[in-house]
Amino acid sequence: MPAPLNPQLEMSALDIFPVREPISRRAYTVLRLRTRSGPIGFGECSAISPAELAALRAAIQGKEASSFESIRREVPVAASAMAGLNMAMLDVVGKFTGAPVYQVLGGPTRNKARALARIDGETDDAIVASIGQARAAGHRAFLVPVPMTHSRNHSATLVNATRQRLDRVRSAAAEGSDFVLDAAAGLTPGDASSLAAVLERSHLLWFDEPCPLLNLSAACRIAGENVTPVGFGRFAAEAGVFQDLLRNDAVDVVRPDLGRHGVTQVRRVAAVAEPYYVAIAPFHDGGPIATAAALQLAASLPNFFIQQVPYPAAGEDRRMRTRLTGAPVETVQDGFLQLPSGPGLGISVNESALAEYREREA
Amino acid sequence: MNRRHFLTGAGGTMAAGRLAGAPGRHQPFSFCDCAMEPQAAPMGADALAAVGSKVRITNLKTFGVTIPGAPPDRPYVFVKLETNAGVAGWGEGTLEGKAGAVLACINDFKEFLIGADPMPVEHHWQSMYVHSFYRAGPVMGSAISALDQALWDLRGKILGVPVYKLLGGPNDPEGVRGYYVANARTLEDLQRLRESAASQGITAFKGGLPNYYEWIETSQKIAEAIRHVQTLREGLGPDLDIAVDFHAKTSPSVAAVIIKELDALHLLWVEEPCPPENVRAMARIARRVETPIATGERLVASYGVRELVEQAVVDIIQTDMNHVGGITALWKVAALANVSSISMAPHACEGPIGMLASLHVDASIPNFLIQECCGQAVPQVRDKVWEEWFGFPAMRMVNGKYPLPEKPGLGFELTEEALKKYPFAGSRPMARVFHKDGSVAEW
């Protein structure tokens, strides 16, 4: 006979709070998961539709917050909504056991997590200014966009513009800085490969999302023609995409989107990458609750390299992120994020801040 | 035990508070000067002290356990990790024919663990595997498996939940689907087995092949093999799932010829149709037959299954909790298999600790198919002993499923006292078999 449900783990209510940063307009949804008589958990995802919320609410009834695997398979909602619920469930399990989520998951594997600041800005000047700010705030690694010329094929224009941008940010960021060049899937495989070849000896951390992952042979071409490490995966919806990239030697850094896959599924992607000696650097362009989850994840993985965190240019946006988690979870010291201390995700979500930044229905 | 006291921020104090009597881990040692840079302390687990728990491993004990009447080549290899938190964790690394080697290998890892925080199991796993330099074969894989299980047992007990809940399970609160050995050869015996399966709710059996096989085989032996499996299907009927273990007795050439004739029987799988070292040889069999192929019991770590998965050779992977590298590694193998829609049917033919540990992974992976236990529909000597040890009938199915343990950790209590009745009778080799001309045969 199955054991009766533990009321301290039994999930009873799920609420969502869509919020939006005032200046960057970056939006994300915070989930609040209540248990019958145990802790409250928080999670985060990009967005949840009313239908998905209804499906998730039905799915959690009569289940314990630890039983993520069975819920994941039973509920036909978008991966992102499930990712948010996954974080909230792990938060509950951690709080129930009195342990940080990384301990629930078998960590710590490290005592801090290297940070990658995603830099806002379109022009070289804006990017240089933003990097200066992020550097002063403790960041040492920066995700810099490729200059886009809005032409389909670029050749020398692209190469020159990229070189100029990298030269400028390198001299602005000073010694000890590292860079990821981000094409955000905006180049053709041919242009991406030419650019990667030119940058072989620039010793970037890696070249991120050089071209769209429309087919595997295009992706293979880039990694196959030069030694610049290549990252892929922020748009990948299925873990199988990572396996195909890995078994075709097409990727050096796997970049599953934490907000799309959730902690548990990103752990699976990491497990797939490990026997290829390939690092994982989860993509993350959401809010600070997901950052806390990302840090818990980082401290549970053997092959983690760096965690991307948004670095909004506006102080107002950064203030909102700090207020939501009740603690500066995104504070960076000499290039590293500290692991949150305390049980669960290690943050105390500020419900009045949630209400304040809540996005009203138009 | 006050869980919160042990789990909240250790704040680095434990680095200095390492327990008296633990071996020093920072003694200077010589190295070959080829690649290694000496590191200043703190390193390794000590560097994690500030973000770890206050629990410390105080002792590591190994046990060889021989049950009279059980297969003599596989005395159980158990390990017990004691802690300053008043809880102990148990694990198993039984390896057929190599008990002494695994016991010694577990003891080689003493310095990795005594004085360390047991919570960061992934860290300890990586350190044992990576810092052993030569990578793991079955002996080290079994030693790491034992220690990994014991660390998970501790984690669950310290956190106060069964391990499968830490892994997101259970898939099915009623338990984990399993199968027994079809220990019958004649049609009459098989029909009796079918009846007892119906009354016990058993849904699947596994049988084997008769004889030993040379690289190429005579028509008579091939016919005997086919007839043997046909009898299994005829006796057990069309509704039970039947797996057939070739046990790598056959070469790829002979296996393919036999399996071609078995395709019509719609078996659940054919297991290890050739030895495990050559993935392309296995692939050549799989390509030419329809019956699903299962393999993997001799493979270590997710590294060991990578090529099988990436070349999409098999339908089912069977890595063994006691050799693959414990819970940590079995979960990763399952994750790797899952993205290729390969199912997991973990092998288990040793002692009860590894089997109970397997249930926790089985209960929480999305691609779980069925769990082995090498038991029979009628309980054997070992089943009685296990019940005497644990106070419940470990690995006995109810309605075709092994019930999940509800206690924290791996879900059982075991005392050293209980093992004393079954003292270690030493390592015994696995059976050695030979062809009629005296040449070495696989079994």
Side-chain angles (χ1 to χ4, degrees):
Chain A
M1 265 292 96
L5 295 176
N6 182 335
Q8 290 198 287
L9 280 174
E10 186 188 342
M11 296 183 283
S12 58
L14 180 69
D15 295 292
I16 61 169
F17 304 86
V19 295
R20 189 181 283 278
E21 292 174 8
I23 310 298
S24 74
R25 309 302 292 155
R26 183 185 278 109
Y28 31 92
T29 295
V30 178
L31 297 83
R32 183 183 64 200
L33 177 63
R34 291 184 188 280
T35 50
R36 210 55 61 223
S37 67
I40 296 175
F42 287 93
E44 184 201 299
C45 65
S46 52
I48 294 184
S49 71
E52 284 173 332
L53 181 60
L56 290 181
R57 280 176 170 158
I60 61 171
Q61 297 305 321
K63 297 267 177 133
E64 293 185 349
S66 49
S67 60
F68 174 70
E69 292 292 341
S70 60
I71 288 180
R72 180 173 73 87
R73 286 197 292 285
E74 284 164 17
V75 194
V77 298
S80 165
M82 199 49 83
L85 182 65
N86 178 228
M87 288 176 208
M89 290 174 74
L90 285 169
D91 193 24
V92 169
V93 174
K95 286 170 175 164
F96 169 76
T97 56
V101 166
Y102 63 73
Q103 277 185 348
V104 172
L105 300 174
T109 50
R110 63 200 72 250
N111 57 28
K112 55 186 177 178
R114 189 179 266 112
L116 174 64
R118 186 179 201 195
I119 296 303
D120 290 349
E122 303 245 317
T123 64
D124 287 1
D125 286 340
I127 287 165
V128 164
S130 193
I131 285 179
Q133 269 189 340
R135 169 95 202 179
H139 280 284
R140 297 292 179 268
F142 309 94
L143 186 74
V144 176
V146 169
M148 289 297 168
T149 60
H150 305 291
S151 144
R152 183 164 166 80
N153 292 82
H154 303 77
S155 70
T157 330
L158 173 73
V159 169
N160 292 336
T162 305
R163 275 187 160 152
Q164 186 185 316
R165 176 165 292 181
L166 286 176
D167 285 347
R168 282 208 55 197
V169 297
R170 257 190 218 281
S171 54
E175 284 291 293
S177 297
D178 278 294
F179 301 93
V180 174
L181 184 67
D182 180 15
L187 300 176
T188 62
D191 273 348
S193 187
S194 308
L195 193 53
V198 168
L199 299 174
E200 269 184 308
R201 303 180 70 183
S202 302
H203 303 163
L204 297 170
L205 290 176
W206 75 86
F207 184 15
D208 205 35
E209 222 69 53
C211 70
L213 268 182
L214 297 177
N215 62 67
L216 205 52
S217 22
C220 286
R221 193 172 155 189
I222 301 161
E225 290 176 356
N226 61 78
V227 301
T228 301
V230 172
F232 271 119
R234 79 178 71 159
F235 302 112
E238 295 293 336
V241 173
F242 294 100
Q243 189 175 41
D244 270 341
L245 288 165
L246 289 160
R247 67 176 147 204
N248 286 284
D249 307 320
V251 69
D252 298 281
V253 184
V254 290
R255 303 269 286 135
D257 181 350
L258 179 64
R260 186 195 296 261
H261 298 276
V263 171
T264 301
Q265 290 302 87
V266 171
R267 281 173 58 73
R268 291 204 157 91
V269 173
V272 172
E274 191 185 344
Y276 293 87
Y277 317 113
V278 163
I280 185 160
F283 180 86
H284 165 39
D285 194 34
I289 291 150
T291 303
L295 292 171
Q296 302 289 341
L297 171 67
S300 78
L301 294 175
N303 50 338
F304 166 86
F305 176 66
I306 199 167
Q307 180 56 54
Q308 177 178 338
V309 278
Y311 186 79
E316 215 178 324
D317 291 344
R318 298 202 294 272
R319 248 189 321 280
M320 167 182 159
R321 297 175 76 93
T322 304
R323 286 200 54 215
L324 285 182
T325 50
V329 72
E330 294 178 331
T331 299
V332 177
Q333 214 178 348
D334 203 22
F336 285 87
L337 292 145
Q338 302 305 303
L339 303 184
S341 58
L345 293 179
I347 49 174
S348 331
V349 171
N350 178 344
E351 295 206 29
S352 60
L354 273 184
E356 188 183 323
Y357 291 103
R358 186 167 190 163
E359 196 173 34
R360 305 288 160 200
E361 298 295 317
Chain B
M1 184 192 94
N2 183 338
R3 214 189 301 150
R4 273 161 183 82
H5 166 74
F6 274 107
L7 290 174
T8 45
T13 52
M14 283 312 295
R18 204 181 312 124
L19 296 160
R25 277 176 288 159
H26 306 314
Q27 295 157 357
F29 53 96
S30 61
F31 51 92
C32 62
D33 230 8
C34 47
M36 198 188 146
E37 293 281 338
Q39 262 187 325
M43 60 180 186
D46 283 356
L48 302 177
V51 291
S53 83
K54 295 178 184 176
V55 184
R56 290 295 178 273
I57 298 168
T58 51
N59 202 4
L60 178 162
K61 292 179 179 169
T62 52
F63 302 86
V65 181
T66 302
I67 298 181
D73 63 347
R74 60 200 74 178
Y76 304 152
V77 172
F78 293 157
V79 66
K80 181 187 183 191
L81 295 177
E82 296 173 341
T83 66
N84 62 351
V87 287
W90 287 91
E92 177 177 353
T94 304
L95 179 64
E96 295 89 329
K98 296 284 181 287
V102 177
L103 287 165
C105 189
I106 292 173
N107 279 303
D108 285 347
F109 287 122
K110 254 188 178 168
E111 279 193 47
F112 287 60
L113 293 171
I114 293 185
D117 177 359
M119 296 300 283
V121 59
E122 178 74 50
H123 170 85
H124 292 308
W125 196 101
Q126 294 290 333
S127 185
M128 290 189 285
Y129 186 87
V130 172
H131 296 148
S132 295
F133 187 73
Y134 289 98
R135 291 353 205 203
V139 171
M140 199 202 298
S142 301
I144 292 176
S145 294
L147 292 164
D148 180 87
Q149 291 166 37
L151 289 167
W152 275 93
D153 190 25
L154 279 174
R155 286 161 47 60
K157 285 172 174 164
I158 291 164
L159 297 174
V161 288
V163 165
Y164 64 81
K165 289 196 182 180
L166 297 175
L167 297 173
N171 294 330
D172 176 355
E174 285 179 6
V176 165
R177 186 187 178 206
Y179 63 93
Y180 287 138
V181 176
N183 61 320
R185 288 200 170 198
T186 67
L187 214 46
E188 297 70 43
D189 287 349
L190 285 162
Q191 278 156 353
R192 264 193 293 278
L193 193 57
R194 180 185 182 179
E195 283 157 24
S196 73
S199 68
Q200 293 183 46
I202 298 165
T203 59
F205 284 101
K206 186 158 88 186
L209 285 189
N211 298 320
Y212 304 109
Y213 301 86
E214 298 184 55
W215 303 109
I216 284 289
E217 262 308 341
T218 57
S219 60
Q220 187 199 335
K221 269 215 267 240
I222 286 172
E224 267 179 51
I226 294 161
R227 203 158 47 239
H228 180 87
V229 182
Q230 283 169 338
T231 308
L232 274 179
R233 174 54 91 196
E234 195 185 336
L236 293 173
D239 298 327
L240 284 167
D241 278 327
I242 302 173
V244 177
D245 190 356
F246 280 30
H247 224 257
K249 292 200 280 191
T250 44
S251 70
S253 317
V254 171
V257 170
I258 296 173
I259 300 169
K260 182 60 89 179
E261 301 288 338
L262 305 184
D263 279 345
L265 301 176
H266 299 290
L267 300 173
L268 186 58
W269 71 68
V270 158
E271 176 169 336
E272 283 204 310
C274 74
E277 299 96 328
N278 187 329
V279 170
R280 288 186 54 236
M282 186 80 73
R284 182 165 177 246
I285 304 170
R287 252 197 325 270
R288 294 180 294 159
V289 301
E290 287 171 23
T291 304
I293 303 296
T295 193
E297 67 195 63
R298 314 186 202 199
L299 303 177
V300 176
S302 60
Y303 296 96
V305 304
R306 176 195 51 78
E307 193 180 358
L308 270 179
V309 173
E310 93 185 357
Q311 299 200 17
V313 174
V314 298
D315 296 274
I316 296 139
I317 285 181
Q318 301 180 291
T319 40
D320 184 314
M321 171 59 76
N322 287 347
H323 315 311
V324 71
I327 289 171
T328 301
L330 188 60
W331 189 89
K332 287 183 186 177
V333 167
L336 201 59
N338 186 49
V339 283
S340 283
S341 298
I342 294 171
S343 300
M344 294 295 295
H347 174 266
C349 212
E350 299 97 11
I353 295 178
M355 291 186 194
L356 290 168
S358 303
L359 298 183
H360 293 270
V361 177
D362 299 340
S364 55
I365 54 175
N367 48 337
F368 172 70
L369 174 62
I370 197 164
Q371 174 66 48
E372 185 167 28
C373 76
C374 278
Q376 300 179 14
V378 178
Q380 305 295 298
V381 178
R382 61 164 215 184
D383 296 294
K384 247 182 74 187
V385 175
W386 296 358
E387 185 158 2
E388 166 196 317
W389 286 347
F390 301 127
F392 64 90
M395 303 308 289
R396 296 302 303 170
M397 288 192 271
V398 177
N399 289 325
K401 294 168 184 174
Y402 311 105
L404 287 170
E406 285 300 330
K407 287 182 183 159
L410 296 180
F412 59 82
E413 297 296 332
L414 180 61
T415 63
E416 293 180 35
E417 200 55 38
L419 301 180
K420 280 193 180 140
K421 261 176 76 182
Y422 305 93
F424 186 40
S427 282
R428 295 291 306 145
M430 292 184 88
R432 300 161 70 216
V433 299
F434 304 91
H435 294 301
K436 282 181 182 149
D437 63 3
S439 60
V440 170
E442 295 259 8
W443 72 274

